[in-house]
Amino acid sequence: MNTSSLQSNLSRAVGRSFRNAGISSSTLPKVLSPASSYSGKRTSSGRYVPLSGDDHDASGQMTEMEYYHVHVPPTPDNQPMIEGGNAASVAEDVQIGGKGVPHAVSDTMYTGGFQSMTRGRLLHRMIDGEALGNAPVSGFRDGGCAMEGCDGNVMRDDRGANVYPCECMYPLCRDCYVDVVKAGSLCPGCKELFKSADEGREGPAILLASQEAVLDRRLSVLRSTKTMAPQNHGPEHSPWLYESKATYGYGNALKPQQASYDGGEGSESFEDPFSGDSKERMLRPLSRKVKIRPTILGPYRLIVLIRLIALAFFLSWRVRNPNRDAMWLWGMSVVCEIWFAFSWVLDQLPKLKPINRSTDLEALRAKFEMASAENPLGRSDLPGVDFFVSTADPEKEPVLVTANTVLSILAVDYPVEKVACYISDDGGSLLTFEAIAEAASFARNWVPFCRKHAVEPRNPESYFSTKGDPTKNQVRHDFVKDRRRLKREYDEFKVRINNLPDVIRRRSDACNAREEIKAKRAQLDRSMELLEKMDVPKATWMADATHWPGTWSSPSQEHSRGDHAGIIQVMLRPPSSESLYGGMEDDSLINMQDVDVRLPMLVYVSREKRPGYDHNKKAGAMNALVRASAIMSNGPFILNLDCDHYIYNSQAVREGMCFMLGSGGENVCYVQFPQRFEGIDPRDRYANHNTVFFDGNMRALDGLQGPMYVGTGCMFRRVALYGFDPPLARKYRTWCCHCCGDDHRHSLDADTAEEDDEMEMMNAHLLRRSKKFGGSEVLLDSIPRAEKEGRPLAGQAGVHRGRQPGLLTAEREPLTTSIVAEAISAISCWYEDKTEWGHSVGWIYGSVTEDVVTGYRMHNRGWHSVYCITKRDAFRGTAPINLTDRLHQVLRWATGSVEIFFSRNNGLLSGPHMKFLQRIAYLNVGIYPFTSIFLLVYCFLPALSLFSNQFIVQTLNMVFLIYLLVITICLCLLAMLEVKWSGITLEEWWRNEQFWLIGGTSAHLAAVLQGLLKVVAGIDISFTLTSKSAGEDADDEFADLYIFKWTSLMIPPLTIMMVNIIAIAVAFARTIYSSSPEWSKLLGGTFFSLWVLLHLYPFAKGLMGRRGRTPTIIFVWAGLVSITISLLWVAISNPSSNLSSNFQL
């Protein structure tokens, strides 16, 4: 049976997409083919290199190489072969030989890990059709030009298919074709005029560059922006093409004006189209600071000072005037008030210098994407960006949400060839793998649709769910038709995604049943008893009836969450740097004419996990992506997103680049975007939007050394993650001195030769410190390139270490199998052993809030960060609106803060490069959870006052009331002014205050206890993922808001609430029936009790759930608290001794 018939049988069994669960019963033969399976040996550095033929012969026990058949949905780089198509091209794709390396990469799954050889398993395309035919033109070299004496290659489009300029399909290279057309000759094959096969049009099918540079749709969908170089011009004309009265060469450019020649009389002068504009472009800033109006910021700072003075006098008065009747009550209140004042100062000082920023996207395009002297073709000179999307559990993080995030990245408004998307599946789930493959297939239509109609947002779920008129600002007549078709296609896509778990389960059950039958037959053949137990693993199977190398549904050895091989699958291979325009093909869902159909690089990564290794949770997964991306694409910038955060503004990356590539950009380590959320209840009961922090605190930190890193929506400079110092901190030190400690004076105005010397020193430093980054030589080689490519353009104001324009316009290096095999080695579980990964390189380990620690380390080395608030939200995500989930989320954050406080990442231990107020902000990050201890005590003080008939002061005199009034008025005025400069609302500010007390008396208190247990007793804390799935009630968008899930975190605030309510009732009854009522103490205690209860109101509503659905546990706890307080009161203060003729409590 030949290969073609096997493919045909397998295709009919499996089907054309992942939605089918049929399994082929035929078994594919193992084929020894280096082209189809990557094999190699590991060097001393841990790097894999291909084995030669001699190595294969010498290796007695070679790991078997095999074809690995699985269907990947068709994408622009993975086209199904149609019957009757170009057989030569089909043969080349199936053979995967020679020039088919890009296809071998994108069609191969790479696995490997610790003490195992890296395997590359070819993912065959499912082809329905006959066997491969002969080449269209026999007698000529396959893929070669047919002109006599020419050894060039036939013209090809971006998909690798041959391009023929005439319907006779006579193979010609581009040079020969141009020569034939210039000479006015006929087609060498049919001896007639060149004729396009699709339209029957006579004449040149491919136009010269001097005419409109558009290629016929039949021949190629490639629209080139290249300008052909002149043949006979001297060095003084290069690299320019120019025109005068006559036209020289090809193109329409102008020769640069020479300053020493003015043309003279009667001669035409030449004008340089770039000289004046280039200087203006370089001087035009990409971003600027917008200061807060002095009429707002001045009074704000003044009131802060007044309140600080008032607090000092108030606390001094409180200490000098104790309550002699209740010293215990006075002492507790004074200690709590001093701590609250200290905490307020820590929180308020970093807010004294808030700023706003604005960007100029037109200036960015003018500098990096328009023709200039260094970039005459006008190619994009923007640096590459690697997107990281992290997910771990497809049950708590639905794959449909992850797929939508990936689709929004693939459709981002950024040069396609500069974008690479990496999905980290830390659970190694086949469900996630197949969902991403389906997303790659759907992107074939979704991405061109977004580019064609410039739709926003580019997340299909959000776009099709957006309320309002979708035709607003749309001018193309086919928009409604295209949108209707895409909506139907997306609905089918969602159905396929939703059906994937059932498909995988049924497929695996069928395959496991077949394996059991085979095992029983083998048992009978060996004459063994049927009662003997058979060891047949319950495996998870892929669509081609082979084992999934990751986690199985029924965990087994080497196939569980903590024990599986590393996996890398290039879903979409890197695109070319030339635009690829679609046409009006019959099989296209929409008309893609004049629309760039290229897709960014898409890679699925699941790092290796083995028992006995600490995988460091999300931080370890992110570091694995850093290494893999450095080897495969090496984008100078990294943008990480959670799986539920998608790109809401397709130009957000460009706005971030304005800060990275503008004045002072070489000292910016990351650009943090604010987090915005969808699906929050309109009243924002639990302050999920957190606008006070994102629009207040973070905006204020931007005026200091920069905002903190908050986990998602952050664009990093890659070399900053590698642990290098910023150029500002290296003003008088080179890269070598950074390592060795020698102080060599280095001028900021270094010329190109000095920069080359510095780069050589950096390379030498990396070679000496290779153990810091691991043994991958490819990774070490990528670091200097990433540093150089990430620099701003030289010549801008405020840029001292820039790169030359046009450096990044060259073609990207092809992605080969050896490079992917190297990436497999870099994501293995052993790679980080005896290295600095997680300690001074990459995301920092040792804390559940690895994001804050990572940002702190960068700021401590002297880097600056920038807060980028875009007019249209840059990213949007989801947040838990359920009370229990929200409390657990806050618990995780607070526990990380306690860990920071007891570590060397404490703000008090920061170095000299960190500014004072920035140090105060990081100190507050570690201290704020401890406020919960004092807050818990202070919330019980009003109830204790009411029970004991005492108060925190001797009497409510005028001095105390004046102090209280001044402090309260100052707080209200600060809130109003903060609302003004931050842009939040008073309601959002009040919701934040309410949840500060709710979280402070529950999650923060538990975080302090857990942190102390970890520091003192070494008891580690494990957290579960925050669920991103929606409620089961499809009719109610906010069904999760009313779901009650009991947790022990609710006990303290519930107790506070019940105690204060009972205390008010007891005190009121005692005062009413007392012979000498003390109304001042009643009013004072009742006022503060009501203040506590008012802050706990959202918590009470969360306990109540929906009307009539109050959980029984609430009544049980209320009864227990009431009985306990009554018994304590009777035991402490026996009412029988105080009874008189009048009833008195």
Side-chain angles (χ1 to χ4, degrees):
M1 182 181 295
N2 56 28
T3 305
S4 177
S5 60
L6 281 173
Q7 292 175 357
S8 179
N9 293 337
L10 187 59
S11 175
R12 284 190 289 269
V14 178
R16 297 184 62 89
S17 69
F18 278 116
R19 73 193 80 163
N20 298 321
I23 305 299
S24 172
S25 60
S26 62
T27 304
L28 293 174
K30 302 217 170 146
V31 183
L32 291 176
S33 173
S36 63
S37 177
Y38 176 83
S39 63
K41 61 182 179 180
R42 184 181 297 165
T43 63
S44 59
S45 64
R47 180 182 179 186
Y48 285 94
V49 297
L51 291 177
S52 62
D54 297 336
D55 294 327
H56 281 283
D57 297 336
S59 179
Q61 49 182 12
M62 269 296 300
T63 303
E64 56 187 17
M65 294 174 288
E66 56 185 337
Y67 281 114
Y68 188 80
H69 295 259
V70 64
H71 173 69
V72 175
T75 57
D77 69 300
N78 179 23
Q79 294 294 323
M81 305 304 175
I82 58 174
E83 184 177 358
N86 186 349
S89 178
V90 173
E92 182 179 8
D93 287 337
V94 174
Q95 300 277 337
I96 310 295
K99 299 177 182 179
V101 172
H103 289 285
V105 172
S106 60
D107 298 340
T108 306
M109 174 188 290
Y110 294 83
T111 60
F114 181 63
Q115 294 182 348
S116 61
M117 182 167 290
T118 302
R119 290 187 180 185
R121 299 177 175 180
L122 186 64
L123 307 182
H124 270 294
R125 300 184 179 118
M126 299 305 171
I127 304 171
D128 292 329
E130 300 297 331
L132 303 177
N134 298 324
V137 181
S138 59
F140 302 116
R141 178 174 59 88
D142 182 24
C145 178
M147 294 294 288
E148 185 178 357
C150 180
D151 59 353
N153 295 323
V154 177
M155 294 181 289
R156 296 178 183 273
D157 61 12
D158 189 68
R159 297 189 180 101
N162 292 346
V163 175
Y164 301 101
C166 186
E167 64 178 3
C168 69
M169 304 184 75
Y170 188 85
L172 286 175
C173 66
R174 183 172 295 275
D175 293 336
C176 292
Y177 173 73
V178 172
D179 293 339
V180 171
V181 174
K182 285 176 59 179
S185 302
L186 304 177
C187 173
C190 61
K191 307 302 180 183
E192 297 180 359
L193 292 174
F194 287 99
K195 192 173 185 180
S196 176
D198 58 345
E199 298 180 4
R201 181 179 71 247
E202 292 188 354
I206 303 179
L207 303 180
L208 296 179
S210 59
Q211 304 172 4
E212 184 182 5
V214 181
L215 300 184
D216 179 75
R217 292 192 304 273
R218 157 64 183 85
L219 302 173
S220 174
V221 292
L222 175 64
R223 176 170 294 177
S224 176
T225 58
K226 292 181 178 179
T227 305
M228 302 185 63
Q231 302 292 330
N232 301 316
H233 294 305
E236 68 276 8
H237 299 153
S238 180
W240 299 101
L241 307 172
Y242 62 91
E243 67 174 3
S244 59
K245 291 183 178 180
T247 301
Y248 296 84
Y250 303 99
N252 210 15
L254 298 177
K255 179 181 178 181
Q257 183 180 359
Q258 299 182 7
S260 60
Y261 176 69
D262 58 2
E265 294 184 3
S267 63
E268 294 191 15
S269 60
F270 296 96
E271 296 181 0
D272 183 0
F274 306 114
S275 60
D277 293 343
S278 297
K279 295 178 181 179
E280 294 179 1
R281 293 175 190 172
M282 288 303 171
L283 295 176
R284 187 175 176 182
L286 297 179
S287 64
R288 62 188 182 93
K289 293 182 180 179
V290 181
K291 295 184 178 180
I292 307 295
R293 287 185 299 171
T295 55
I296 297 177
L297 196 57
Y300 180 78
R301 293 171 176 171
L302 179 61
I303 295 175
V304 169
L305 180 61
I306 293 174
R307 191 170 194 263
L308 184 61
I309 296 173
L311 282 174
F313 279 102
F314 172 71
L315 294 176
S316 175
W317 180 85
R318 290 277 285 123
V319 171
R320 289 183 287 105
N321 293 272
N323 184 359
R324 303 295 180 182
D325 298 333
M327 291 294 293
W328 58 275
L329 195 62
W330 169 83
M332 287 191 298
S333 64
V334 169
V335 171
C336 292
E337 288 164 2
I338 292 175
W339 179 267
F340 292 151
F342 172 70
S343 177
W344 176 81
V345 171
L346 291 182
D347 182 67
Q348 195 64 52
L349 286 181
K351 294 183 179 181
L352 295 179
K353 195 180 176 182
I355 62 170
N356 292 320
R357 296 181 186 268
S358 63
T359 58
D360 190 345
L361 297 182
E362 292 301 325
L364 183 73
R365 290 189 177 91
K367 288 185 179 182
F368 294 91
E369 295 182 310
M370 292 183 64
S372 64
E374 297 80 5
N375 183 18
L377 299 180
R379 287 183 178 177
S380 176
D381 198 22
L382 289 170
V385 181
D386 293 338
F387 289 81
F388 291 175
V389 179
S390 58
T391 182
D393 189 345
E395 294 182 0
K396 293 187 176 181
E397 299 170 334
V399 292
L400 182 61
V401 175
T402 305
N404 274 274
T405 299
V406 171
L407 288 170
S408 70
I409 294 174
L410 297 180
V412 67
D413 185 7
Y414 201 75
V416 183
E417 67 276 11
K418 305 297 179 71
V419 175
C421 179
Y422 294 84
I423 296 91
S424 171
D425 180 15
D426 221 27
S429 171
L430 178 59
L431 176 60
T432 303
F433 176 83
E434 296 196 0
I436 299 302
E438 288 282 359
S441 177
F442 179 72
R444 179 187 180 187
N445 294 309
W446 172 250
V447 175
F449 170 76
C450 294
R451 293 172 182 161
K452 179 180 179 180
H453 300 290
V455 300
E456 294 284 357
R458 299 190 175 182
N459 174 329
E461 181 68 26
S462 298
Y463 172 72
F464 291 119
S465 302
T466 301
K467 298 178 181 179
D469 184 10
T471 63
K472 185 178 181 180
N473 299 327
Q474 295 293 339
V475 295
R476 299 188 66 127
H477 67 279
D478 56 350
F479 168 75
V480 176
K481 178 181 66 176
D482 291 348
R483 186 181 187 277
R484 183 168 56 249
R485 291 182 176 180
L486 258 298
K487 179 64 168 64
R488 182 175 64 251
E489 185 70 14
Y490 178 66
D491 289 339
E492 295 178 359
F493 167 76
K494 288 200 297 184
V495 171
R496 293 197 299 270
I497 293 292
N498 295 334
N499 195 36
L500 277 178
D502 187 54
V503 168
I504 295 173
R505 180 187 56 79
R506 289 188 286 109
R507 178 203 306 156
S508 299
D509 291 344
C511 289
N512 289 328
R514 186 184 63 185
E515 292 300 312
E516 290 180 359
I517 294 175
K518 286 183 179 180
K520 289 182 179 179
R521 289 177 179 175
Q523 194 176 22
L524 290 175
D525 293 340
R526 293 193 298 270
S527 300
M528 298 174 63
E529 296 183 2
L530 293 177
L531 296 178
E532 184 177 348
K533 185 178 180 180
M534 296 180 299
D535 187 13
V536 180
K538 298 294 184 181
T540 298
W541 296 76
M542 300 182 70
D544 65 336
T546 54
H547 285 178
W548 166 244
T551 302
W552 289 353
S553 301
S554 299
S556 66
Q557 186 177 5
E558 297 188 354
H559 292 285
S560 62
R561 287 188 178 274
D563 184 13
H564 62 80
I567 307 171
I568 291 182
Q569 170 63 52
V570 181
M571 298 286 187
L572 298 173
R573 63 187 176 92
S576 68
S577 59
E578 299 290 342
S579 298
L580 183 66
Y581 291 88
M584 301 178 62
E585 292 83 358
D586 295 336
D587 59 342
S588 298
L589 189 66
I590 62 175
N591 181 8
M592 300 182 187
Q593 189 175 10
D594 299 330
V595 179
D596 192 352
V597 297
R598 293 177 300 161
L599 295 179
M601 179 180 173
L602 177 62
V603 184
Y604 171 90
V605 179
S606 181
R607 59 175 173 150
E608 182 191 19
K609 288 188 174 182
R610 297 301 179 194
Y613 284 85
D614 186 1
H615 300 108
N616 297 296
K617 302 175 183 177
K618 181 181 177 181
M622 300 304 292
N623 284 339
L625 285 187
V626 171
R627 297 191 295 271
S629 63
I631 294 172
M632 300 178 68
S633 58
N634 197 33
F637 298 99
I638 295 172
L639 198 156
N640 79 294
L641 294 171
D642 289 343
C643 65
D644 61 325
H645 275 71
Y646 67 93
I647 298 179
Y648 189 75
N649 181 356
S650 62
Q651 293 189 336
V653 181
R654 292 180 177 271
E655 299 213 28
M657 282 297 171
C658 290
F659 300 109
M660 289 291 194
L661 304 178
S663 176
E666 66 266 32
N667 295 309
V668 176
C669 58
Y670 61 81
V671 175
Q672 178 66 60
F673 296 86
Q675 294 184 17
R676 307 301 188 199
F677 302 102
E678 294 178 334
I680 307 297
D681 56 295
R683 302 302 300 271
D684 193 12
R685 179 186 294 178
Y686 306 123
N688 291 97
H689 285 299
N690 210 1
T691 53
V692 173
F693 174 76
F694 287 114
D695 291 342
N697 298 63
M698 297 286 277
R699 192 193 301 262
L701 289 176
D702 197 18
L704 304 177
Q705 201 170 338
M708 303 174 185
Y709 168 43
V710 291
T712 183
C714 187
M715 179 190 295
F716 286 96
R717 186 179 299 275
R718 185 180 285 271
V719 292
L721 280 171
Y722 288 151
F724 291 106
D725 289 342
L728 186 64
R730 300 191 310 268
K731 183 181 296 186
Y732 300 107
R733 295 189 299 172
T734 62
W735 290 93
C736 180
C737 309
H738 168 68
C739 170
C740 305
D742 298 330
D743 290 333
H744 297 291
R745 293 293 175 179
H746 182 69
S747 174
L748 287 177
D749 299 325
D751 55 14
T752 306
E754 291 176 342
E755 289 183 1
D756 293 339
D757 293 340
E758 184 179 351
M759 190 62 64
E760 292 177 1
M761 293 177 187
M762 181 182 181
N763 294 334
H765 155 62
L766 291 174
L767 291 176
R768 290 194 303 270
R769 297 291 303 277
S770 60
K771 291 299 183 181
K772 178 177 181 178
F773 300 98
S776 174
E777 296 178 3
V778 179
L779 175 60
L780 292 177
D781 294 341
S782 70
I783 295 176
R785 294 200 308 270
E787 191 277 335
K788 187 174 183 180
E789 293 176 0
R791 297 179 184 177
L793 288 182
Q796 300 184 82
V799 175
H800 303 288
R801 298 180 68 257
R803 62 173 173 86
Q804 294 300 319
L807 178 66
L808 305 182
T809 58
E811 190 81 21
R812 176 189 292 186
E813 295 181 1
L815 189 63
T816 61
T817 55
S818 60
I819 292 178
V820 183
E822 184 82 8
I824 280 286
S825 175
I827 65 171
S828 61
C829 58
W830 53 266
Y831 186 87
E832 294 184 356
D833 291 349
K834 298 180 181 180
T835 67
E836 293 297 320
W837 286 98
H839 303 285
S840 62
V841 178
W843 271 258
I844 306 302
Y845 301 154
S847 174
V848 295
T849 53
E850 72 288 334
D851 46 3
V852 177
V853 177
T854 302
Y856 167 82
R857 292 289 184 89
M858 295 181 184
H859 285 144
N860 200 30
R861 288 193 294 267
W863 288 96
H864 288 249
S865 59
V866 171
Y867 199 51
C868 181
I869 301 180
T870 57
K871 185 176 181 180
R872 177 184 175 88
D873 293 345
F875 309 100
R876 282 193 178 181
T878 58
I881 61 175
N882 179 265
L883 177 59
T884 304
D885 294 337
R886 175 69 166 141
L887 290 177
H888 280 289
Q889 183 186 57
V890 174
L891 172 63
R892 184 171 66 252
W893 295 343
T895 303
S897 296
V898 176
E899 293 173 347
I900 291 173
F901 180 79
F902 288 109
S903 70
R904 62 192 183 100
N905 300 310
N906 192 315
L908 289 175
L909 306 178
S910 57
H913 293 301
M914 185 176 291
K915 295 183 178 181
F916 174 75
L917 291 182
Q918 189 81 17
R919 188 176 308 186
I920 295 297
Y922 276 111
L923 177 62
N924 187 41
V925 169
I927 283 183
Y928 83 88
F930 294 94
T931 305
S932 61
I933 300 174
F934 303 93
L935 185 62
L936 182 69
V937 174
Y938 209 74
C939 287
F940 278 112
L941 286 182
L944 294 176
S945 299
L946 293 173
F947 282 132
S948 63
N949 198 25
Q950 298 293 334
F951 196 53
I952 58 177
V953 293
Q954 190 79 29
T955 58
L956 290 177
N957 55 24
M958 188 61 64
V959 177
F960 175 78
L961 295 177
I962 291 176
Y963 276 128
L964 193 64
L965 183 63
V966 171
I967 293 173
T968 304
I969 291 177
C970 287
L971 179 64
C972 295
L973 292 176
L974 284 177
M976 294 175 61
L977 292 174
E978 191 169 329
V979 164
K980 282 287 186 180
W981 62 255
S982 64
I984 62 177
T985 63
L986 281 174
E987 183 180 7
E988 291 172 334
W989 179 87
W990 172 240
R991 291 297 184 197
N992 181 79
E993 291 294 311
Q994 287 180 311
F995 196 79
W996 170 76
L997 191 142
I998 295 172
T1001 56
S1002 57
H1004 294 178
L1005 184 64
V1008 173
L1009 297 177
Q1010 290 185 351
L1012 292 175
L1013 286 176
K1014 182 177 181 180
V1015 173
V1016 176
I1019 301 176
D1020 200 3
I1021 308 110
S1022 60
F1023 292 95
T1024 57
L1025 285 173
T1026 303
S1027 177
K1028 276 86 174 179
S1029 58
E1032 298 179 357
D1033 189 355
D1035 297 331
D1036 190 352
E1037 182 181 359
F1038 309 113
D1040 274 354
L1041 184 66
Y1042 308 105
I1043 297 177
F1044 180 83
K1045 294 179 285 187
W1046 173 255
T1047 174
S1048 57
L1049 297 177
M1050 296 179 178
I1051 295 177
L1054 178 61
T1055 304
I1056 291 173
M1057 189 168 57
M1058 297 304 302
V1059 167
N1060 277 276
I1061 293 175
I1062 295 173
I1064 292 174
V1066 169
F1068 184 77
R1070 180 182 56 209
T1071 304
I1072 290 295
Y1073 293 100
S1074 174
S1075 58
S1076 57
E1078 300 182 21
W1079 292 101
S1080 61
K1081 295 181 179 180
L1082 174 65
L1083 293 177
T1086 303
F1087 174 80
F1088 284 104
S1089 290
L1090 291 177
W1091 176 86
V1092 172
L1093 294 175
L1094 191 62
H1095 279 76
L1096 290 174
Y1097 176 71
F1099 176 80
K1101 289 192 67 175
L1103 296 180
M1104 295 298 103
R1106 294 183 186 272
R1107 293 183 179 179
R1109 299 185 184 180
T1110 304
T1112 306
I1113 188 67
I1114 302 301
F1115 297 105
V1116 173
W1117 270 101
L1120 289 175
V1121 171
S1122 302
I1123 294 173
T1124 302
I1125 293 175
S1126 301
L1127 293 176
L1128 286 174
W1129 181 252
V1130 170
I1132 296 174
S1133 178
N1134 189 1
S1136 59
S1137 61
N1138 297 325
L1139 289 177
S1140 61
S1141 57
N1142 295 324
F1143 180 80
Q1144 181 180 358
L1145 287 177

